Amino acid sequence: MAGVLCSLSRGALLAMVGAMLITAFVLTVAQGKKLLGRLVWLSLSSGAGVFLVLWIGFQGQVLDRASTLLDTEKAAAGRITHWQHALASVPDFWKTGGGLGTYRYIYAPYQEQPAGVWFYHAENNYVEMLVEGGVIGLVLPLSAIALIALAAWRLLVVSDDLALTALGIVG
């Protein structure tokens, strides 16, 4: 928790909170245990991470960065506009994409207004996979994610062994 907060990554913060809630929910559904107890444990562990951030005196920077999550003007001016320009290339390269590692060259001709910076990556894995690998390059990793999720779910539902349950949680 403290490491994610101190990284000042808004995406990592959202992913961590989402993963914590999804993990608690999936464990509750798969094993029939109480969600409230799981949320209490998540809250206690999260509280320990927040305490560590407070202890090292990094709370000002963390709060300043987290407050930008709700600033829609900054969000619209940066990555979202860039992603829209990059996705404009998809109709031209929809099957197989522009090629792995070519993102910085592919999006530039589709950029409608100068950004003042050169993007080497999309800062969004799915947009970059679609631009560089096309539909095939997006479907393959998404299929792998779905298969891993299915295997993890089966471990959670079927297994009474603690080690296999832990593997299901990790999955």
Side-chain angles (χ1 to χ4, degrees):
M1 171 66 91
V4 169
L5 289 174
C6 290
S7 74
L8 301 179
S9 172
R10 296 169 298 187
L13 177 63
L14 290 176
M16 179 187 62
V17 169
M20 289 168 60
L21 294 174
I22 290 170
T23 300
F25 178 75
V26 167
L27 283 175
T28 301
V29 171
Q31 297 184 334
K33 304 227 172 134
K34 297 197 181 226
L35 180 61
L36 182 61
R38 300 209 186 270
L39 290 177
V40 167
W41 278 109
L42 286 173
S43 299
L44 289 174
S45 62
S46 299
V50 169
F51 175 76
L52 183 58
V53 170
L54 293 171
W55 184 53
I56 62 175
F58 207 65
Q59 68 273 13
Q61 295 93 323
V62 171
L63 289 173
D64 287 344
R65 184 67 173 167
S67 69
T68 63
L69 277 170
L70 302 175
D71 190 352
T72 55
E73 286 182 27
K74 284 185 181 178
R79 292 181 183 166
I80 294 174
T81 304
H82 171 68
W83 295 336
Q84 291 170 340
H85 295 160
L87 290 173
S89 70
V90 172
D92 293 336
F93 305 101
W94 71 273
K95 281 185 191 175
T96 57
L100 300 180
T102 62
Y103 180 83
R104 62 182 165 175
Y105 306 112
I106 297 295
Y107 90 89
Y110 298 92
Q111 193 172 10
E112 295 175 4
Q113 59 220 166
V117 294
W118 184 270
F119 291 97
Y120 286 87
H121 299 284
E123 305 300 332
N124 179 320
N125 291 335
Y126 303 102
V127 170
E128 191 160 343
M129 283 188 283
L130 184 58
V131 170
E132 289 185 356
V135 173
I136 295 170
L138 182 62
V139 168
L140 289 174
L142 291 178
S143 300
I145 291 169
L147 290 172
I148 290 169
L150 178 64
W153 178 257
R154 290 183 68 195
L155 284 174
L156 289 170
V157 173
V158 175
S159 176
D160 290 333
D161 183 17
L162 188 58
L164 293 178
T165 300
L167 286 175
I169 292 169
V170 170

